[in-house]
Amino acid sequence: MILTVTLNTALDITYRVRELRPHASHRVSEVTERPGGKGLNVARVLAALGHEVTVTGFAGGATGRVVQERLTQTPGVVDALVPVTGATRRTIAVVDDHTGDTTQLNEPGPTIAPAEWSAFQEAYEDLLTSASAVALCGSLPPGVPVGAYAGLVRSAKAADVPVLLDTSGEALRRGVAARPDIIKPNADELAELTGSHEPSRATQDARRRGARAVVASLGEGGLLALTPEGRWRATPPTRLHGNPTGAGDAAVAGLLSGLVARLPWPDRLARAVALGAASVLAPAAGEFDREGYEELLGRVAVTGQVTAA
């Protein structure tokens, strides 16, 4: 079982409009609603790939109930969300069909009480006993300690469970110091962590800060990975137009899938890039175009070198 953690879960709502214009009324041509937050998006992609996945984090209020109801309709995903008093947030994505651009609006999450955080930690420790890998994903809701991910990384490592961390800001800085197996920042998050806007130098610095492997997302430029086994760059074969929301989460799913399958790093990266690109063709985050994925997988370019033993 792969475990994904989403402390700031959401109900993702995607609107499609013909053309998004400021200060104007718009007719929405299509609406989709999905359980959201980075870890839930990762879980849906993993389940579609055939993995057994358990999701945990927090859920509360009417929105939280909708999220959990929708999760029951997702084959392969087990709901282990911890109940809280506050209301789960909503995120709104507005897709402009004319340009292909997406505008994102994110509500704040519920405030988590100390007793609710303690209940989550107990549930997390129990889930680790049957996990083959764990992904810690997304922002921290109010009330959760800023060093929360560092503690969750240490718990996973104590249980001998490989852990991937995908967050930003101070939560990432503290989490890296706990020595996760993989971090997956985007270019901006990596620069904020290291102070360097040069990806090659920044990945080296991030490894020195504690991450065993750094996989940096460079947007349309694919992935740059620095690992104990070597350094690689994986790039998609073409630029795809669509909804990029969730592309990074699909890439995380590819990395986890390759990890539990014990694939060599170049194959993990190819899977991650192909899934990220195929997710752009899907209508909402947490989904991917299967035909597109299978076609793209064989065309991802992976270059680099193995580190000498």
Side-chain angles (χ1 to χ4, degrees):
M1 175 269 287
I2 300 175
L3 176 64
T4 72
V5 174
T6 312
L7 296 178
N8 212 1
T9 54
L11 180 65
D12 284 346
I13 304 170
T14 302
Y15 295 130
R16 300 194 74 94
V17 299
R18 181 177 179 181
E19 183 178 3
L20 183 62
R21 292 172 289 122
H23 316 298
S25 297
H26 298 80
R27 289 188 179 276
V28 177
S29 60
E30 181 182 345
V31 181
T32 57
E33 291 187 351
R34 299 288 189 278
K38 295 178 73 64
L40 269 63
N41 294 338
V42 171
R44 286 203 305 280
V45 174
L46 285 168
L49 291 171
H51 295 280
E52 294 183 359
V53 192
T54 296
V55 297
T56 190
F58 298 111
T63 306
R65 288 193 292 274
V66 173
V67 167
Q68 291 188 284
E69 288 170 3
R70 295 295 178 90
L71 283 175
T72 64
Q73 302 167 17
T74 307
V77 175
V78 175
D79 172 12
L81 295 172
V82 175
V84 294
T85 301
T88 296
R89 66 189 178 127
R90 296 168 298 177
T91 67
I92 311 296
V94 183
V95 181
D96 184 324
D97 285 334
H98 179 68
T99 64
D101 293 334
T102 300
T103 299
Q104 190 82 17
L105 304 172
N106 296 328
E107 295 180 354
T111 298
I112 305 303
E116 293 169 338
W117 175 237
S118 295
F120 168 80
Q121 289 176 289
E122 291 180 11
Y124 174 74
E125 298 269 356
D126 289 341
L127 290 166
L128 285 175
T129 62
S130 54
S132 57
V134 58
L136 308 174
C137 302
S139 60
L140 301 177
V144 172
V146 71
Y149 281 137
L152 299 182
V153 168
R154 285 191 288 267
S155 294
K157 294 181 74 66
D160 199 27
V161 178
V163 56
L164 182 152
L165 177 62
D166 183 13
T167 188
S168 60
E170 185 66 12
L172 175 59
R173 189 182 71 81
R174 297 200 186 192
V176 166
R179 301 187 177 278
D181 293 276
I182 306 170
I183 62 169
K184 198 214 70 66
N186 61 33
D188 290 340
E189 292 162 351
L190 185 62
E192 183 181 10
L193 173 66
T194 65
S196 174
H197 291 272
E198 200 289 304
S200 179
R201 180 181 302 169
T203 54
Q204 291 178 14
D205 185 47
R207 276 206 73 207
R208 284 194 294 267
R209 290 168 183 260
R212 179 171 172 80
V214 180
V215 181
S217 175
L218 305 180
E220 296 174 7
L223 298 175
L224 176 65
L226 179 61
T227 81
E229 290 78 27
R231 175 189 293 276
W232 291 275
R233 176 76 177 268
T235 55
T238 185
R239 184 179 187 275
L240 300 174
H241 296 277
N243 179 9
T245 306
D249 303 332
V252 168
L255 293 173
L256 287 170
S257 176
L259 170 66
V260 299
R262 301 182 183 275
L263 296 181
W265 268 105
D267 293 341
R268 297 187 205 182
L269 296 169
R271 183 174 293 190
V273 167
L275 281 169
S279 75
V280 173
L281 303 174
E287 300 179 1
F288 65 94
D289 182 277
R290 185 167 291 277
E291 289 186 6
Y293 164 63
E294 293 173 353
E295 191 272 335
L296 288 163
L297 183 59
R299 298 172 56 211
V300 174
V302 183
T303 58
Q305 60 184 13
V306 175
T307 301

